[in-house]
Every structure is written in structure tokens, then in C-alpha cells.
Amino acid sequence: MDLKTIMKEAGIVGAGGAGFPSYAKLADGADTLVINGAECEPLLYTDYVLLHKELPMVLAGIQSVLEYAKIPRALLCVKEHTAKRLHLVDGTRLADKITLKTLPDVYPMGDEIAMIYQATGRVVKAGNLPITAGVIVYNVETMYNVARAVKYNEPLTEKWLTIAGDIPEAIVVKVPVGTPVWELFEKNHIVVSDNYTVLDGGPSMGKVIDVETAVVTKTTKGLLVLPNTCEAVASKFVNGALSIARAETACCQCTRCTDMCPRHLLGYPIEPHKMVRTAKGAATILPQMVLSASLCCGCGVCESLACCQGISPKAVINEYKALLAKNKLRYVAKEESVVAPEREYRMVPSQRWEHILGIAKFDKLAKYVGEQKDFKRAEIYLRQHIGAPSVAIVKEGDVVQKGDKIAESADGLSLPQYASVSGRVMMVEGVKIIIEKDSE
């Protein structure tokens, strides 16, 4: 069985972000494999702990990809603070063809377009995939999962994640995919008060979740407990439609949101200050007017740092992204981008970003507490990846063991799903399969 088939059969997706099926990234034409260990957002230490505890397994996964895709080199990219904690320096040879690349402690350096440029000096053409620049990008945890699949024929059933925020101690745990968040918090004595919000992901790009119903998915990198008063949480509740209405009259056209936009600084034709002044009615009739909105990485620099009028360019752009998606439109450039010479001086230091978001005091190095297994149930969603949802192959009442296939991949871009715990299938519905442990 070749590596591409192994990765697909194991159900491996990108360990954070949108969950692109990892097997589909393997393509001819790459001369550089970039491994994202940057921990783009504050408070997250999942990749650091993985590198600290499981570096040989991560390197084994990288070597498997290098050999299969015939890629001559790999760059394991981490920020300077992570390199120091790992006692490594830029240029360290970690294994054959694998070199450590340190990145500056700035935000949003984990954005793959920014990281590719910082690590290789190449700019991916706007709207194009990294492979067009000769690069394939994977996350640290993805490489760990590849190694487990190759070495032990082990499907993806467990997730490494950080639990942090305004809690006594930040931790990194490994838990079954589908673990209910409420049960995970209960096991670790974490209480969420009424004036607090929990985010799945980082403080800037993470999503607000309901602790009582949410579960750990294959893309969960962190669970953050944050007070509602901090900017990181307040920004999540900005009304996009209201922002557009306000922006049309309140924007002073200072252009600061564009001047500070990380993608614009890389030469991408995205200009938030123009989008906030675009009439929504006109954009609805002619979506091509806001085509460059699809180039936004969602970092929030325009919203939380740049704007002096209290407008959220990010919320406006999100509205236009939805409009473009509805019309199946996106920006794809043929021309090369020219990096702005001032980029180096406009990157946002990570520590400054933490203070802007109001979370600096919660940044504590996470402690690894090990693998946690004794949960009562697992809820396995059939769509934990970009592409067609998995197709259930079990029925209510079936007894399954951890690692058993419970859903097959659909036609096209898709992945199978596996039981992350042993127990009885209690529910099979349109979006998920629920497995409960048999009472002993």
C-alpha cells in the first residue's frame, strides 16, 4: 500500500484549520516540504509539546513524505521562542534532508502563505495552492499521525490539544476524537463561569463553542476559556451586517487596515479599506467587485489593531466571503506578487498581539498531562474534513472496538472515520455517530 493510500485509509486531515484531507496534498512538482510548527496563535502549545515529547515520530512522518513524493528537503518551522525551549537553533540538521527553520515571534506567522515566504523566500501566487510554488505544507501533528499510520497501521482516533486561558494551569492532553468538551473539562476540574466563553482554536481565529454540546474533532488544536470582556472574545460577536452598514458611513479611509494587512504586505491585491466602503447591494449584484475578499486569512489584525473607528473590516470581509462562496467565486491570480519593502517593519510582535487581545496574563507554558481515555462516550462527526462527508457503515446497537472503521469515504475528496473508543453504537444520524462505553 503506498503512502497516499495509507494516509487516506487512516483518515488523516490537517491537524488544525479547515481540515484538508492530507493525502490530497501529495502531488508531483514539490521541491520543499514545509512543516508548520509555528503555533500561529497565542496560548497554544500543542505542537511544542509534540516536538518535545515525540520528535522522533514527527521526523519519521516527515521522512515518509519525503521518500514517497521524492522531495529533496524539508524545513521544520518553529518560532524563535519554541526553538529556544527545544534547545535548537536555526539551521540545525534534525535528520537526513530535514532542517530546523526558525521564524520570528510575530503574528500571524503560522499562516501558511506568510510561513512559506519567511522560510523559503517564495510567494505563492494569490489564490493558488502552495504546490504551484513547489511547496507542500503539513502540520507537526499531521506528520506524527502519518508516522503512526505507517509504523503501526493506526488510524487517526486521538487528538493532541491545549486547554488554556483563565484557568489555574494550562495543559496539553491527548484524548479520543469525539470526546465531549464538558466531560473533558470535568475530568480536568475546569469550570466555565457565566461571564466566560470557550473557543475551539486560537484567540483570534478560533470559534465560539457551547461546552455542553461541543466535542473534540480532528482539527481541534486548543480549547480556550476566556472572559467575555477581552478583545479576543468581544470580536467574535461583531455583527457582520451591522459592520457593513456602519462601515459605509464611519470609515475615514485612513487605509491603516490595508497598510497592516499581512496578506497585502505580501503583495496580495486585498485592500480592506476599499471593501469596507463597498456598498453591499452593489456587491450582491456584482460579486466580482469583492473577489479579493477570498484572499483574507482571517487573522483579525485589521479588526483588533488597525481600525481607529471601531469598524471591523474582518466582519465585513467575512460577509463578502460568504457571498463569494454562494456564487462559487474566488480570486486566482496568474501574475506574481511583489512583497512590500515595509513588511519587515509592520509585522506584529506576538507579545504585543497578546496585549491587544487582552490575554497576555493568561499565557502560561502548558504542562503535558498525558493521555486521557476514560470518557463515557464519543461523538464522531462524519464531516471533519473539507470534501464529501463520510458514509456510515454501522447501525445502532453494533458493538465496535477502538480503531474499527465506522464510516467509509464517499466519492471524490473524502475520508473514512474510525471508532475512537470501544463500546456500543447508540445513534447513527445524518451528521454523526455516537458511541457509548458499555457499563461495567
Side-chain angles (χ1 to χ4, degrees):
M1 191 182 295
D2 67 17
L3 182 62
K4 199 167 187 174
T5 303
I6 290 172
M7 290 169 69
K8 181 174 183 178
E9 280 301 304
I12 297 173
V13 304
F20 194 81
S22 300
Y23 76 90
K25 286 188 176 183
L26 289 175
D28 295 333
D31 61 27
T32 303
L33 177 63
V34 170
I35 308 304
N36 187 349
E39 306 274 25
C40 181
E41 298 212 50
L43 308 187
L44 302 180
Y45 288 93
T46 308
D47 292 340
Y48 160 70
V49 169
L50 253 172
L51 291 171
H52 180 60
K53 298 291 183 181
E54 297 284 356
L55 182 57
M57 192 64 73
V58 173
L59 295 177
I62 296 172
Q63 288 176 321
S64 293
V65 173
L66 290 177
E67 292 170 10
Y68 175 81
K70 297 181 175 57
I71 302 174
R73 68 164 181 166
L75 301 174
L76 175 53
C77 298
V78 299
K79 288 183 180 175
E80 291 170 352
H81 71 267
T82 300
K84 288 178 182 177
R85 290 191 174 106
L86 294 171
H87 305 292
L88 296 171
V89 296
D90 185 53
T92 299
R93 192 176 180 83
L94 301 170
D96 183 36
K97 301 180 181 179
I98 306 174
T99 304
L100 186 85
K101 180 65 180 178
T102 58
L103 308 172
D105 287 330
V106 299
Y107 175 80
M109 190 46 67
D111 168 44
E112 72 174 11
I113 303 301
M115 185 176 57
I116 288 170
Y117 174 71
Q118 202 71 35
T120 70
R122 304 174 191 176
V123 180
V124 179
K125 291 178 183 177
N128 286 257
L129 295 174
I131 190 64
T132 60
V135 178
I136 293 175
V137 181
Y138 283 122
N139 180 262
V140 163
E141 189 177 355
T142 302
M143 292 296 90
Y144 170 84
N145 291 330
V146 167
R148 301 288 299 188
V150 170
K151 189 171 183 178
Y152 303 116
N153 192 30
E154 190 175 272
L156 176 52
T157 62
E158 295 177 327
K159 192 73 184 73
W160 296 66
L161 63 110
T162 303
I163 304 177
D166 192 5
I167 58 177
E169 181 178 50
I171 61 175
V172 171
V173 296
K174 182 167 70 168
V175 299
V177 171
T179 297
V181 172
W182 72 265
E183 196 174 355
L184 176 59
F185 278 14
E186 184 178 85
K187 179 180 284 291
N188 291 283
H189 311 293
I190 296 169
V191 178
V192 182
S193 302
D194 290 341
N195 55 342
Y196 279 71
T197 294
V198 177
L199 305 181
D200 182 328
S204 303
M205 302 187 213
K207 306 297 182 184
V208 175
I209 61 170
D210 181 348
V211 174
E212 297 302 318
T213 59
V215 301
V216 173
T217 70
K218 292 180 180 180
T219 59
T220 302
K221 292 296 287 185
L223 296 169
L224 305 182
V225 183
L226 298 172
N228 295 342
T229 52
C230 71
E231 168 64 16
V233 172
S235 65
K236 308 297 179 190
F237 296 97
V238 172
N239 184 299
L242 181 60
S243 288
I244 288 178
R246 290 187 59 214
E248 291 174 358
T249 56
C251 176
C252 66
Q253 288 290 284
C254 68
T255 77
R256 194 176 176 204
C257 55
T258 295
D259 293 340
M260 293 298 295
C261 173
R263 289 283 180 92
H264 180 79
L265 290 169
L266 283 169
Y268 277 30
I270 177 170
E271 298 177 286
H273 77 282
K274 290 184 178 179
M275 258 177 277
V276 298
R277 291 300 298 270
T278 300
K280 185 178 180 182
T284 302
I285 296 171
L286 190 64
Q288 290 83 355
M289 291 178 62
V290 292
L291 203 57
S292 63
S294 65
L295 302 176
C296 172
C297 69
C299 69
V301 167
C302 60
E303 173 183 69
S304 298
L305 171 63
C307 187
C308 60
Q309 296 285 8
I311 297 168
S312 173
K314 177 182 174 180
V316 173
I317 291 171
N318 283 342
E319 290 284 310
Y320 290 143
K321 277 184 177 180
L323 179 64
L324 293 174
K326 181 180 178 180
N327 288 276
K328 298 181 180 180
L329 295 171
R330 66 186 182 92
Y331 190 103
V332 180
K334 294 181 180 179
E335 70 278 2
E336 302 285 346
S337 298
V338 179
V339 178
E342 61 270 20
R343 174 181 179 270
E344 180 181 355
Y345 310 104
R346 291 185 181 170
M347 293 191 290
V348 183
S350 297
Q351 287 187 336
R352 184 185 178 197
W353 187 242
E354 288 184 336
H355 284 283
I356 289 168
L357 295 182
I359 59 171
K361 60 186 175 182
F362 307 135
D363 191 357
K364 296 162 278 193
L365 181 62
K367 172 186 175 183
Y368 180 53
V369 298
E371 184 175 2
Q372 296 181 344
K373 299 179 179 179
D374 299 326
F375 298 100
K376 298 174 183 176
R377 64 193 283 160
E379 298 183 16
I380 312 296
Y381 279 82
L382 298 177
R383 188 190 290 276
Q384 297 187 63
H385 53 268
I386 288 177
S390 312
V391 180
I393 57 174
V394 293
K395 60 183 184 300
E396 292 181 16
D398 286 352
V399 175
V400 296
Q401 301 299 314
K402 178 183 176 182
D404 286 352
K405 184 182 286 189
I406 58 175
E408 190 57 86
S409 56
D411 293 337
L413 187 66
S414 189
L415 289 170
Q417 306 294 340
Y418 294 85
S420 59
V421 298
S422 298
R424 188 176 300 275
V425 176
M426 302 304 293
M427 180 183 295
V428 180
E429 58 178 15
V431 296
K432 64 184 176 182
I433 298 170
I434 299 178
I435 303 169
E436 289 191 359
K437 287 188 174 181
D438 290 325
S439 55
E440 298 179 359

